[in-house]
Amino acid sequence: MARQVDMEEGMSPMERGRFRYKLKDYEGALKAFNEAVASSTDHMLLTALDSRAATYEKLEFYLSALRDGKSMIELKPKLSKGYLRTGKILQLQGKEKLALQIYARGLGKVSSGTDKDRQHLVIFHEKLRKVLKPGKSKDFIERLPLELALMVCQHLPMRDRVICLAVSKAWKGVLESSTKLWTTFDTTHARRAISLKSIKIHLRRSKYTLDRAVITLKAYIGSDKMKFIAKTCKNLREIHIHGNGLIGDTLYSALPGSTALRTISTSVGTEIPLYAIQSVIKTCHKSLVDIKFLQIRGNKVAAVPGKWAMAESLKSIHLRAGFDSCLDFDGLRDNTPNATSVILTNWNITVHLVDATPWKALERLDLTDTQLTRLPKFPPTLKHLVLSENPQLNLRPDEERPTLLPLLETFACASTALDGEALKVITAASIKAGNLKRLTIGDRMVNPRESLVKDEFPPCETLEELSLASMVLSDKPALEIVSLYPNIKRLDISATHITGVAVKAFVNMGLKWLKINECDRISADAVEWARGKDIEIIHNLLSQGTRVRGAARFADSVFGSIF
């Protein structure tokens, strides 16, 4: 004993406890660990509790050991140690089913890759599960490791997850063991109105950590339900609304002033008044980052100034008018100074000159179908610019030349009156810098003579995607134009007069993707030949009796989807 005392001299309580534990002096170890627990905090306290619980196990004081295990879970619920210790004690007490629940709870709480002991938690859970359910069940949810079962459930639509809850207790236990399965409230597949009671149950399963809501109008989520969701779920970051119908007061009246909402969107079929959007921005001006409204009803007579609230956090703006509505462009611009992406389509922008230069960080600007007649003023930061479907837009000789855009990667001016000179002026700096990648310049009046092709189209070695849809082009001028872009990989030449001769030449140029909708002079044999060369062909030929749109638009182009 004297020798042991001499060896313990200078040791901390934890070190003395471990030393005595190795010597199987469990009562002495317990006294030392009691001192360690009393004098430790945070991670050291977790270690001291674990060591004391192990000592209690050796002394068969299981209730005391269980108390320490529960204390460990309360102290560090995101670490595995407490669940491992508590589960082991419960197994020693013969409470295997309860131990399995503890292991499952731990797997739900402890994130993968954050704790080296988590793998032990997985092993003990699977070993015990197999012992408790050794039958010939072919239930894949029961047979799979919990993590894989949860991954499978993650891919189920919300409606199917709710249905799975009623399959069996085992399925219900798996589904309710992870709050991550319920952090999105998705009514996409709802067939009838969703009651407030159902919403409350869903939120309880998520432990009120809901961060995303996808709401369809057919689910009849009225203002009272929206208010409950917004008030109860402090982590709500996204709201997406779909379906055919009108939404207005229901949306903005449900959002509290202190909301953390970052993203909000409505679909093409969901009509929303412009004043409702302005009210949403005013309510959430401190947190909103991304807005997208695709069917807006505004004033048809004139834009009403002074209605936009300052929203410095707003980065991405996508506003599409559903009717001939007027927009206070200057008011929107001045109150969203930090926007990086602005998409405004189908609006009547009535200002004499659209000036986008106050957006100092703007990278994407889309002004499709906004009745422009003059070239807007652009900030030099632009990377993507779309001015399509403005038939009166041109650059007159007496107008000021536009700002150089060296960072420009995408430019679209289909269905405008911009000529070759304007095209060169806008793209010159980006071509020189080697940044231009995509051009959508179809449906414009150009001189088709081969000798003037270089005057109408700027050569560019870095261009990869080109759309010449709905231009009056035959084989020779089409080939001459495409030859200006030696590294082109994707070409949309729909609604032109090209034949199979041009198709063959395009294939030999190294194209990987070709769209030839409404090119009625191309035979089916030419299409099949091109496909045999491992080229992806998109075609819709009139000669095959297919109904098509009268004139191809920029919106129909695959390049339009990137905006």
Side-chain angles (χ1 to χ4, degrees), residues 20 28 57 143 316 362 454:
R20 294 172 185 177
E57 286 178 28
R143 295 172 69 88
S316 178
L362 192 66
K454 288 188 178 181

Side-chain angles (χ1 to χ4, degrees), residues 34-46:
N34 283 334
E35 291 182 44
V37 168
S39 60
S40 300
T41 60
D42 203 44
H43 283 278
M44 288 301 296
L45 176 58
L46 183 74

Side-chain angles (χ1 to χ4, degrees), residues 197-208:
K197 180 181 177 181
S198 297
I199 295 173
K200 289 179 178 180
I201 292 172
H202 184 102
L203 298 186
R204 281 201 299 271
R205 291 193 182 111
S206 74
K207 290 184 170 53
Y208 302 97

Side-chain angles (χ1 to χ4, degrees), residues 346-395:
N346 294 7
W347 291 97
N348 180 7
I349 298 180
T350 55
V351 295
H352 177 65
L353 176 63
V354 172
D355 184 1
T357 54
W359 279 317
K360 301 299 183 182
L362 192 66
E363 296 183 359
R364 185 184 303 274
L365 179 63
D366 184 343
L367 298 175
T368 299
D369 192 14
T370 49
Q371 304 185 31
L372 296 176
T373 58
R374 296 184 61 186
L375 204 62
K377 296 179 71 173
F378 308 119
T381 54
L382 277 182
K383 293 183 179 180
H384 307 280
L385 175 61
V386 183
L387 302 173
S388 298
E389 298 184 39
N390 289 293
Q392 298 183 47
L393 175 63
N394 61 16
L395 179 62

